[in-house]
Amino acid sequence: MWDLVLEDRRINSLRLVAPMWNGRIRGIHRLGGAVAPEGNQKKKRTILQLLTNYFYDVEALRDYLLQREMYKVHEKNRSFTWLEKQHGPYGAGAFFILKQGGAVKFRDKEWIRPDKYGHFSQEFWNFCVVPVEAVDASDCDINYEGLDNLLLLKELQSLSLQRCSHVDDWCLSRLYPLADSLQELSLAGCPRVSERGLACLHHLRNLRRLDISDLPAVSNPGLTQILVEEMLPNCEVVGVDWAEGLKSGPEEQPQDTASPVPA
Amino acid sequence: MAHTGRTAGRLGEGDWDGKVSEIKKKIKSILPGRSCDLLQDTSHLPPEHSDVVIVGGGVLGLSVAYWLKKLESRRGAIRVLVVERDHTYSQASTGLSVGGICQQFSLPENIQLSLFSASFLRNINEYLAVVDAPPLDLRFSPSGYLLLASEKDAAAMESNVKVQRQVGAKISLMSPDQLRNKFPWINTEGVALASYGMEDEGWFDPWCLLQGLRRKVQSLGVLFCQGEVTRFVSSSQRMLTTDDKAVVLKRIHKVHVKMDCSLEYQPVECAIVVNAAGAWSAQIAALAGIGEGPPGTLQGTKLPVEPRKRYVYVWHCPQGPGLETPLVADTSGAYFRREGLGSNYLGGRSPTEQEEPDPANLEVDHDFFQDKVWPHLALRIPAFETLKVQSAWASYYDYNTFDQNGVVGPHPLVANMYFATGFSGHGLQQAPGVGRAVAEMILKGRFQTIDLSPFLFTRFYLGEKIQENNII
């Protein structure tokens, strides 16, 4: 195996298409360009990116690879409503979550999680008459279409969408059917959720605990926290520290240093 | 007998040395590394041939260009040229728009267009993805529209909501009590019914959509030109209808594009012209000879689109409605929405026919806010009794004086001019759907996905108004 050095980055033959396989979050963004925060500081380019400026064929190839990435996410979020006839809405929704890699908890039962190979115990089909109480969809690729399946779980009480890279403001506007039962919601670490999506959560009047920590797309976390607390008076809003504006870590965007002023 | 003298005499010309140095200069300029002075530099001019010329580079024109390239049967099949007079878009309705999108219309076609546009905006980074460019951030606020109706409009609102639900929009109806419960800052006096859009409604950044479309469309190979269309060169043909009446059919062959700040123009030979000039569409139509004829005939039917000025005001109100505020449209026609996190709001009101301001320029009339907008807002939202106007701007609606709905499709007599204009304030939210419809009409000959036949030009001659009841 021989190494190529290109702009002080060691590239071997496997790395030519590495950006696509390097984890789900960076897949589309790396092909798309400069969104990932670490990409902004160092202008590293792969061979394919360099050749795109010279050859139409390479540009078409990268376009195709990008489309294929997007197609994979759509495949994961295809509709499972056909399962509803046989196993009921709770079974269909739970199957969707388990297939994505998340965990479900039926009422009065234990959490069901898939193992690292994606296999999960098939006995949950027997639980399907019991409503699903909690869903942990952290690090899953759920997007707007996939919410069709999630919204089948009418009596959901706790939902965790931590670090879901495809959950954005549009998805949050779709959560209102769960307003009667949802009590706990966690959106920590979702890169596409901004304060505009948080504004739609006012429909969830039974919400008791909301986690909005570590949202990079929110422009002013301190002020957003105050406004969300005003919007949801019965809810405990967790996640943003008053000293947020004074800290600046390597992953956070530069914050306003003004302390929050009461509205 | 000197040799030099004889050769000079035989050639019969005086300035041999001058000629030689000219020839030497020409040869030197052809050699690589020097600028070639033999041919004039025409890089600023549009191409001499183009299959489709789109007049107007706003969101509707770019949407048509995008869908033409998306739906073409083979890569590179259609050559498209977009002619835009002002690349800064200083007066274009797109950039100055409030940016709202809603499905609360009374016509099923309008609802379908808005639904498709919402799904287009939702998946904008799949539709408009360009390799190596950052994804677009539309800054969409999915807060919805809240329309309030008084006693006399309540029945119409209910039937509208029924149509909207049938087409697939998610609208909920609220009584005054439910309204007070949900939004305690509203004064429900005089409100009999309210309709609230739960999904796919809100507002976004129109400039981002415009730039995204431009970027994508350029990467697909569409050419842009900054210039003004001054003339159409067309040919006519006299034909007889089945009733033996004479009809003159016209076909545009060339478009004269005049360059900015100069008299230079380029005749562009084209097959199809798309009129997406927004508030100035009527001038383009007049250039093509539409409306030159005795009134009451098809030849004499003008394009009834004219520019109408609308004002938008931005104000600050510290105790105003909170983060959950939708775009509220009052019974009086006044509307407002939140802007950002800092208790700023923007809104306005459509003037009545008598109050119409002069569209000659984009100057803002601040008295209009004091007299015609603020009283209604303060009545509906008591918190707005104390507010401070920060700024304001004006923009044009491409107002269709006939029935306030868009004109889409070909002209019956000027066979190759297609319209995509006249949307009277909801052009931005319907642009993706309309662009697709016009592209289908051009490429396939008929509307395939959304049937916009009620929006054709012929309705102006036949007098078939398709009235839209919910115009903000």
Side-chain angles (χ1 to χ4, degrees):
Chain A
M1 192 148 84
W2 47 283
D3 290 358
L4 274 178
V5 176
L6 189 74
E7 290 179 49
D8 69 36
R9 188 178 154 197
R10 302 191 81 78
I11 298 185
N12 52 35
S13 50
L14 284 177
R15 296 285 283 272
L16 282 177
V17 284
M20 214 173 62
W21 298 337
N22 250 348
R24 291 164 299 225
I25 294 181
R26 285 179 293 170
I28 295 182
H29 292 312
R30 189 59 70 85
L31 276 178
V35 176
E38 64 265 25
N40 270 335
Q41 279 103 34
K42 306 166 242 180
K43 288 253 175 181
K44 293 191 270 194
R45 301 207 300 180
T46 61
I47 280 190
L48 275 187
Q49 278 175 330
L50 190 70
L51 288 177
T52 310
N53 293 333
Y54 296 99
F55 297 106
Y56 281 123
D57 312 319
V58 178
E59 193 182 341
L61 172 70
R62 293 193 60 213
D63 204 30
Y64 166 71
L65 292 174
L66 188 61
Q67 299 290 329
R68 217 174 64 165
E69 265 295 304
M70 295 197 241
Y71 176 73
K72 277 196 220 155
V73 175
H74 281 299
E75 257 301 290
K76 279 195 168 170
N77 283 286
R78 64 193 184 278
S79 172
F80 287 95
T81 41
W82 50 271
L83 281 174
E84 209 183 328
K85 278 193 286 287
Q86 206 179 357
H87 297 285
Y90 308 125
F95 181 67
F96 166 68
I97 300 290
L98 290 169
K99 234 21 209 150
Q100 283 263 351
V104 293
K105 180 179 187 308
F106 287 87
R107 189 187 293 167
D108 304 325
K109 304 270 195 290
E110 291 296 317
W111 280 94
I112 305 180
R113 271 178 206 283
D115 59 16
K116 65 174 176 172
Y117 297 111
H119 301 145
F120 43 89
S121 109
Q122 294 294 314
E123 43 175 64
F124 86 98
W125 291 120
N126 307 333
F127 303 156
C128 291
V129 287
V130 178
V132 174
E133 203 174 60
V135 162
D136 176 12
S138 314
D139 303 296
C140 290
D141 283 334
I142 297 191
N143 70 5
Y144 187 89
E145 278 93 33
L147 277 187
D148 273 342
N149 302 313
L150 185 61
L151 292 174
L152 291 170
L153 305 169
K154 289 279 181 293
E155 289 168 46
L156 194 61
Q157 287 177 9
S158 157
L159 177 60
S160 167
L161 292 169
Q162 296 187 10
R163 296 178 301 278
C164 289
S165 52
H166 297 279
V167 164
D168 57 10
D169 297 333
W170 295 86
C171 298
L172 292 187
S173 77
R174 255 193 121 178
L175 290 179
Y176 65 90
L178 300 172
D180 294 325
S181 57
L182 198 65
Q183 290 176 8
E184 194 181 323
L185 177 62
S186 170
L187 297 168
C190 291
R192 295 198 198 181
V193 170
S194 75
E195 66 269 19
R196 297 174 283 276
L198 295 178
C200 316
L201 297 179
H202 76 277
H203 294 286
L204 305 172
R205 53 186 183 281
N206 285 329
L207 206 60
R208 296 286 166 262
R209 191 186 144 83
L210 174 64
D211 184 356
I212 52 170
S213 48
D214 194 25
L215 292 175
V218 168
S219 53
N220 197 332
L223 185 53
T224 309
Q225 162 110 0
I226 303 176
L227 290 171
V228 171
E229 279 176 2
E230 272 182 20
M231 189 172 80
L232 293 168
N234 299 330
C235 179
E236 177 203 348
V237 180
V238 165
V240 181
D241 196 10
W242 291 121
E244 186 72 32
L246 307 174
K247 265 192 302 200
S248 59
E251 293 146 44
E252 291 166 13
Q253 291 174 354
Q255 309 280 0
D256 291 337
T257 48
S259 57
V261 175
Chain B
M1 262 187 346
H3 271 285
T4 44
R6 274 206 8 223
T7 40
R10 190 178 299 160
L11 282 176
E13 296 170 37
D15 192 17
W16 175 238
D17 285 328
K19 283 230 170 284
V20 164
S21 66
E22 234 182 77
I23 292 175
K24 268 195 198 162
K25 243 197 259 174
K26 274 197 182 158
I27 292 176
K28 265 202 192 136
S29 74
I30 294 174
L31 288 175
R34 307 292 183 96
S35 64
C36 183
D37 301 324
L38 287 181
L39 298 170
Q40 274 175 321
D41 177 25
T42 55
S43 54
H44 59 290
L45 293 176
E48 289 174 12
H49 309 273
S50 179
D51 295 321
V52 180
V53 172
I54 299 180
V55 182
V59 70
L60 270 175
L62 291 182
S63 174
V64 174
Y66 170 74
W67 283 104
L68 275 173
K69 284 313 237 180
K70 194 85 193 307
L71 296 177
E72 63 187 359
S73 49
R74 213 193 50 178
R75 208 179 138 111
I78 308 268
R79 280 175 303 182
V80 182
L81 172 71
V82 174
V83 179
E84 167 58 46
R85 191 166 59 173
D86 178 13
H87 270 189
T88 61
Y89 292 95
S90 55
Q91 293 195 325
S93 313
T94 305
L96 298 170
S97 157
V98 162
I101 174 167
C102 85
Q103 281 89 46
Q104 298 187 44
F105 295 104
S106 53
L107 282 174
E109 286 85 12
N110 276 335
I111 307 171
Q112 284 170 334
L113 283 172
S114 282
L115 275 173
F116 173 70
S117 300
S119 82
F120 183 89
L121 295 175
R122 187 166 55 234
N123 297 315
I124 196 168
N125 282 312
E126 292 184 18
Y127 283 106
L128 303 186
V130 174
V131 167
D132 272 346
L136 293 167
D137 179 17
L138 273 183
R139 312 179 75 81
F140 179 72
S141 294
S143 298
Y145 269 51
L146 178 72
L147 265 54
L148 305 174
S150 55
E151 262 316 319
K152 63 180 175 63
D153 297 325
M157 177 177 269
E158 255 193 84
S159 62
N160 285 347
V161 170
K162 210 147 82 161
V163 174
Q164 288 152 19
R165 282 179 181 159
Q166 258 173 355
V167 178
K170 313 271 194 313
I171 316 287
S172 79
L173 281 168
M174 292 163 74
S175 67
D177 287 325
Q178 288 170 323
L179 200 56
R180 264 193 299 273
N181 226 352
K182 201 141 183 123
F183 303 118
W185 33 264
I186 288 190
N187 167 19
T188 53
E189 179 192 330
V191 173
L193 194 59
S195 69
Y196 183 33
M198 308 292 280
E199 280 186 47
D200 286 344
E201 290 196 353
W203 54 91
F204 61 97
D205 178 14
W207 192 248
C208 176
L209 176 63
L210 190 68
Q211 295 305 318
L213 276 171
R214 258 185 97 102
R215 193 179 72 180
K216 177 68 176 173
V217 144
Q218 273 176 329
S219 86
L220 288 171
V222 169
L223 296 167
F224 277 81
C225 167
Q226 179 169 8
E228 193 180 337
V229 170
T230 45
R231 189 172 161 216
F232 289 119
V233 174
S234 47
S235 68
S236 350
Q237 218 179 0
R238 206 179 180 80
M239 307 186 84
L240 293 176
T241 65
T242 44
D243 311 325
D244 278 343
K245 272 198 271 216
V247 167
V248 176
L249 286 177
K250 262 188 171 177
R251 230 189 144 75
I252 300 177
H253 287 287
K254 286 205 177 140
V255 179
H256 281 205
V257 179
K258 181 181 97 74
M259 292 298 113
D260 213 24
C261 304
S262 94
L263 287 175
E264 202 181 1
Y265 70 90
Q266 167 80 302
V268 179
E269 201 175 326
C270 63
I272 287 175
V273 175
V274 176
N275 184 352
W280 302 275
S281 314
Q283 293 167 13
I284 302 292
L287 280 179
I290 294 173
E292 282 166 12
T297 58
L298 189 52
Q299 299 94 296
T301 316
K302 296 201 205 319
L303 180 69
V305 173
E306 58 179 47
R308 291 276 174 102
K309 190 157 76 160
R310 294 286 177 268
Y311 304 114
V312 179
Y313 303 92
V314 182
W315 63 87
H316 176 75
C317 176
Q319 303 299 330
L323 198 59
E324 73 276 7
T325 315
L327 196 151
V328 182
D330 185 33
T331 47
S332 58
Y335 66 90
F336 79 94
R337 66 163 173 85
R338 261 188 88 101
E339 172 66 30
L341 287 174
S343 293
N344 290 319
Y345 301 85
L346 62 84
R349 181 168 175 247
S350 283
T352 57
E353 285 290 337
Q354 294 84 14
E355 295 163 355
E356 278 293 342
D358 177 21
N361 55 34
L362 285 179
E363 300 289 324
V364 177
D365 177 12
H366 292 278
D367 295 324
F368 184 76
F369 182 76
Q370 299 276 41
D371 305 329
K372 302 282 187 325
V373 184
W374 195 3
H376 300 285
L377 286 176
L379 180 64
R380 191 56 65 207
I381 319 282
F384 281 163
E385 275 161 19
T386 47
L387 57 79
K388 186 160 189 286
V389 177
Q390 307 276 4
S391 70
W393 71 83
S395 68
Y396 291 121
Y397 272 15
D398 46 347
Y399 195 81
N400 181 347
T401 49
F402 188 72
D403 57 11
Q404 290 87 59
N405 269 316
V407 192
V408 173
H411 189 271
L413 295 179
V414 181
N416 59 354
M417 171 167 272
Y418 288 74
F419 295 105
T421 178
F423 283 90
S424 319
H426 41 101
L428 174 68
Q429 58 180 284
Q430 295 181 332
V434 168
R436 187 174 62 165
V438 173
E440 283 168 0
M441 196 58 166
I442 292 177
L443 295 173
K444 313 267 191 322
R446 56 189 182 84
F447 296 119
Q448 281 183 325
T449 42
I450 303 179
D451 184 18
L452 295 182
S453 353
F455 286 24
L456 289 171
F457 186 93
T458 37
R459 75 183 195 270
F460 302 135
Y461 169 61
L462 297 171
E464 292 163 357
K465 288 197 183 189
I466 37 165
Q467 203 70 32
E468 173 58 60
N469 299 327
N470 284 353
I471 291 286
I472 296 178

